[in-house]
Amino acid sequence: MSNEYIPFLSQIKEVQKHTEIEYSFRMSYVGDVQPGQFFEVSIPKFGEAPISVSGIGEGDVELTIRKVGKVTNEIFENRVGQSLFMRGPYGNGFSLDLYRGKELIIVAGGTGVSPVKGVIDYFGEHREEVKSLSVIAGFKSPGDILFKDSIKRWEKQMNLTVTVDHADDPGWKTGLVTAYIPEIPIENLKDAAAIVVGPPVMMKFSVAELLKRGIKEEQIWISQERKMCCGLGKCGHCKMDDTYICLDGPVFNYTKGKKLFD
């Protein structure tokens, strides 16, 4: 009988710098995983941190990490060829089957782009599997934009809008992501589905705009950003109301997700 608390060793295959405090680590991993799930990444004597899956490859997963504390600071000291301890994946993710044949809309803000990047990548490469694909990604400034190389590819594959809160260059689209939701083309509301990920306030108002467009609550999915500790529903750290985000989430249909509160 395996012990789910025991991590495995994963080698760093690639490191990509996005900003001064945000890097993507491509880690060796063989097994089933979905976009939106997370791994616990650990370093002995420093602790562990929950990191969302931002990409899925053949024999590896991509984890995009923000340097914000003791554990993540130490992770950034590691380079290609070195190894980190991981356990997981945990939680439920975005099941691609839910979106096939749909007019798919994805609205994400800041690091919220990471959990949905795998969905965007997949349907960007398999455009025949969705009727349409529209993505709105918002960041604080041009310097805070993540996945610049992926964005160049997405521009050719889908209806993409990248916004920043402010920019000195007038060539950037500025303002909140909610301002661009009314511009998304929707041919048939019955076929429309949406994913919204980002800070709670951003998700609240983005969902409100999607509901105004006529998209049904049951066709909207969100991901709850929450500090997961054990990942197994034992510690209670991520519990909201009577729901354990690490077990029942972090991805929720909005009909369930809207009811979660502390």
Side-chain angles (χ1 to χ4, degrees), residues 6 18 27 31 45 53 64 70 77 79 94 98 102-103 105 123 127 130 139-140 147 166 168 196 201 213 227 242 258:
I6 296 178
H18 300 298
M27 309 297 301
K45 299 183 180 181
V53 173
T64 301
K70 182 173 69 172
E77 296 299 316
R79 298 292 180 265
F94 295 101
L98 293 171
K102 301 287 188 179
E103 295 184 44
I105 300 164
F123 286 118
R127 283 288 289 105
V130 287
F139 301 93
K140 287 184 179 180
F147 313 118
H166 55 83
D168 296 329
V196 181
V201 172
R213 292 294 308 270
K227 172 68 172 177
D242 61 349
K258 70 177 183 179

Side-chain angles (χ1 to χ4, degrees), residues 46-189:
F46 288 90
E48 62 182 2
I51 308 296
S52 295
V53 173
S54 58
I56 302 169
E58 292 290 335
D60 57 62
V61 291
E62 179 185 274
L63 306 177
T64 301
I65 302 173
R66 172 177 280 185
K67 189 177 181 180
V68 291
K70 182 173 69 172
V71 180
T72 51
N73 287 352
E74 187 64 22
I75 289 173
F76 272 49
E77 296 299 316
N78 290 267
R79 298 292 180 265
V80 172
Q82 295 179 276
S83 297
L84 299 172
F85 284 101
M86 291 172 29
R87 57 186 179 91
Y90 294 122
N92 64 5
F94 295 101
S95 174
L96 299 179
D97 287 340
L98 293 171
Y99 314 113
R100 288 187 170 95
K102 301 287 188 179
E103 295 184 44
L104 181 57
I105 300 164
I106 299 175
V107 184
T111 54
V113 178
S114 295
V116 295
K117 179 176 175 288
V119 181
I120 300 171
D121 282 339
Y122 180 84
F123 286 118
E125 295 293 336
H126 301 84
R127 283 288 289 105
E128 73 282 358
E129 295 189 22
V130 287
K131 292 187 175 179
S132 65
L133 180 59
S134 297
V135 175
I136 302 176
F139 301 93
K140 287 184 179 180
S141 72
D144 294 303
I145 293 176
L146 305 177
F147 313 118
K148 293 183 178 69
D149 290 342
S150 296
I151 285 174
K152 290 179 181 178
R153 184 175 70 253
W154 296 345
E155 288 174 339
K156 303 174 184 178
Q157 297 173 327
M158 64 200 69
N159 175 31
L160 176 68
T161 301
V162 176
T163 74
V164 294
D165 292 348
H166 55 83
D168 296 329
D169 185 346
W172 288 98
K173 291 186 177 180
T174 58
L176 302 177
V177 293
T178 49
Y180 297 89
I181 292 177
E183 299 178 5
I184 296 173
I186 302 175
E187 291 188 8
N188 189 341
L189 285 170

Side-chain angles (χ1 to χ4, degrees), residues 196-209:
V196 181
V197 185
V201 172
M202 169 260 168
M203 289 199 297
K204 175 183 177 180
F205 288 102
S206 294
V207 169
E209 288 297 325

Side-chain angles (χ1 to χ4, degrees), residues 185-260:
I186 302 175
E187 291 188 8
N188 189 341
L189 285 170
K190 291 183 179 179
D191 293 330
I195 296 172
V196 181
V197 185
V201 172
M202 169 260 168
M203 289 199 297
K204 175 183 177 180
F205 288 102
S206 294
V207 169
E209 288 297 325
L210 291 167
L211 294 174
K212 286 181 185 178
R213 292 294 308 270
I215 298 177
K216 302 296 183 182
E217 288 186 353
E218 58 268 24
Q219 290 299 316
I220 300 174
W221 283 262
I222 63 173
S223 180
Q224 291 284 0
E225 292 188 342
R226 192 76 169 170
K227 172 68 172 177
M228 271 75 80
C229 286
C230 72
L232 295 166
K234 304 298 184 183
C235 70
H237 195 282
C238 69
K239 188 178 182 183
M240 297 178 73
D241 193 16
D242 61 349
T243 301
Y244 290 89
I245 304 303
C246 67
L247 294 180
D248 305 310
V251 175
F252 293 92
N253 185 269
Y254 184 67
T255 56
K256 170 69 174 179
K258 70 177 183 179
K259 300 175 183 177
L260 297 177

